[in-house]
Amino acid sequence: MGTAVVVEGPGEHRLADHTPRDPGPGEALVAVHAVGICGSDREVYQGNRPEGYVRYPLTPGHEWSGTVRAVGAGVPADLVGRKVVGEGFRNCQVCDRCHAGETTLCTAGYEETGFTQPGAMAGTLTLPARLLHVLPGDADLTAAALLEPAACVAAAAIRANARPGERVAVVGTGTLGMFAVQFLRAGSPAELLVVGTRTDREALSRRFGATDFRTRDRELPDDMDVVIETAGSADAARLAASLLRRGGRLVLTGIPAPGAEGLDPTDLVVRQLEVHTVFGAPPAAWAHAVRVFGAGLLDPLPLVTHELPLAEFSQAVELVGSGDPKVGKVLLRP
């Protein structure tokens, strides 16, 4: 018996007794080490997540790490005791998009751990074993709890296809932005510019590999080869596009508020910009993130500023939405 966070509905939550669910065929039971909170979890709690993308009552938690404690029929027994992270999207595996490896575009409808299926803000999580990614035995599970947002950025890095020697940029200095810097740095760019609103992020950006840091009120280039946008606003998307050379490549990861004015289609066509978008992370992106993390090229720990017990869920949500520049990634520890 343990404890779980249950969000009954917008603005309503409680701590409930949690009994681990034995894994069925094809499933694994994971003891949760740490679970991250992001803006999506805040949307769940506040009740402003889009219709169809949340199902109450709900135990949140889609960013997590843990250790396999038991497996069901059909799952290799040697998975028990391994450190793991797991994909959130519960794809159908049979539609054409799933067969193409684009599981986040599954045509069977949206199902995701922590939003429509029980999440990791509990002592344990039982889920399909096929969603698990095994970590090295010496992996730091606190750092690994950030591999879900890292996988989303890995998807963006794969789409960006930045080649060695290209001039690349990141717009946004939050968790996703800092991961984007690390992924792009691993590709040996000639230049790596970070553009943001928080001057306090310059040191961290440079630590992760940025060669230049500028705020939006400074003179900015217009000849970058690749730009990854992570800030999540329409203004950031337009700014990101303005940094590109003609024929440059843009990857958008943020989701602006509904009704926001988007990019200028005339500008996109005339400058022949290549535009990609990312929502979630398919298996290939997860595998890439786990490999880069295992190789020591991804350092999530400097992004963690707070670790709290499950009982302080509401305080953790407030921290995430506080706007305090001293608040980075907030983790809950069951």
Side-chain angles (χ1 to χ4, degrees):
M1 185 73 72
T3 303
V5 173
V6 177
V7 177
E8 297 284 3
E12 302 178 33
H13 86 283
R14 61 186 174 88
L15 289 179
D17 291 336
H18 171 73
T19 301
R21 181 173 71 79
D22 290 337
E27 293 185 324
L29 170 68
V30 177
V32 178
H33 174 81
V35 54
I37 295 182
C38 79
S40 299
D41 299 300
R42 193 162 175 264
E43 290 176 353
V44 168
Y45 187 53
Q46 293 180 328
N48 50 16
R49 188 158 172 83
E51 184 178 355
Y53 287 85
V54 64
R55 188 179 301 135
Y56 301 106
L58 174 72
T59 293
H62 62 289
E63 305 177 3
W64 58 270
S65 64
T67 304
V68 177
R69 291 294 181 234
V71 296
V75 180
D78 61 3
L79 195 60
V80 175
R82 302 296 297 274
K83 295 177 179 178
V84 294
V85 289
E87 299 176 31
F89 282 79
R90 306 289 186 93
N91 56 297
C92 75
Q93 304 183 80
V94 296
C95 72
D96 62 341
R97 292 301 87 208
C98 285
H99 277 287
E102 298 175 339
T103 56
T104 58
L105 297 177
C106 177
T107 59
Y110 171 79
E111 294 286 346
E112 185 175 5
T113 299
F115 297 108
T116 63
Q117 297 289 330
M121 291 186 190
T124 67
L125 174 65
T126 301
L127 74 167
R130 63 183 172 79
L131 299 177
L132 298 180
H133 289 262
V134 178
L135 303 172
D138 61 353
D140 184 323
L141 282 177
T142 300
L146 277 69
L147 284 178
E148 192 276 342
C152 295
V153 177
I158 291 170
R159 291 289 182 109
N161 191 29
R163 295 177 281 273
E166 288 193 312
R167 303 176 68 236
V168 302
V170 175
V171 174
T173 57
T175 298
L176 296 182
M178 294 299 94
F179 277 134
V181 172
Q182 296 182 64
F183 277 111
L184 288 174
R185 176 56 184 158
S188 301
E191 298 177 37
L192 205 176
L193 168 67
V194 175
V195 180
T197 58
R198 293 175 49 182
T199 56
D200 62 297
R201 294 297 248 187
E202 179 173 1
L204 190 58
S205 297
R206 292 185 181 277
R207 172 178 172 178
F208 287 148
T211 60
D212 193 5
F213 181 96
R214 304 186 196 185
T215 51
R216 299 183 185 189
D217 56 351
R218 293 180 56 189
E219 182 178 354
L220 297 172
D222 60 1
D223 57 354
M224 308 303 287
D225 297 298
V226 171
V227 180
I228 295 179
E229 176 276 324
T230 67
S233 70
D235 286 341
R238 288 190 289 269
L239 172 64
S242 74
L243 299 176
L244 286 164
R245 63 167 172 80
R246 291 168 60 87
R249 304 188 298 284
L250 172 64
V251 184
L252 305 175
T253 70
I255 303 178
E261 294 186 5
L263 301 174
D264 179 358
T266 300
D267 179 61
L268 298 181
V269 172
V270 171
R271 293 204 291 140
Q272 299 182 57
L273 299 183
E274 184 178 320
V275 181
H276 297 275
T277 61
V278 168
F279 176 62
W286 270 96
H288 183 53
V290 170
R291 280 195 300 268
V292 173
F293 176 68
L297 299 175
L298 202 62
D299 186 12
L301 275 181
L303 301 174
V304 178
T305 59
H306 295 76
E307 296 182 54
L308 304 172
L310 286 181
E312 296 184 25
F313 168 74
S314 60
Q315 295 93 314
V317 171
E318 289 179 10
L319 281 171
V320 170
S322 68
D324 185 341
K326 295 181 180 180
V327 176
K329 196 65 186 179
V330 179
L331 299 181
L332 293 178
R333 299 289 295 272

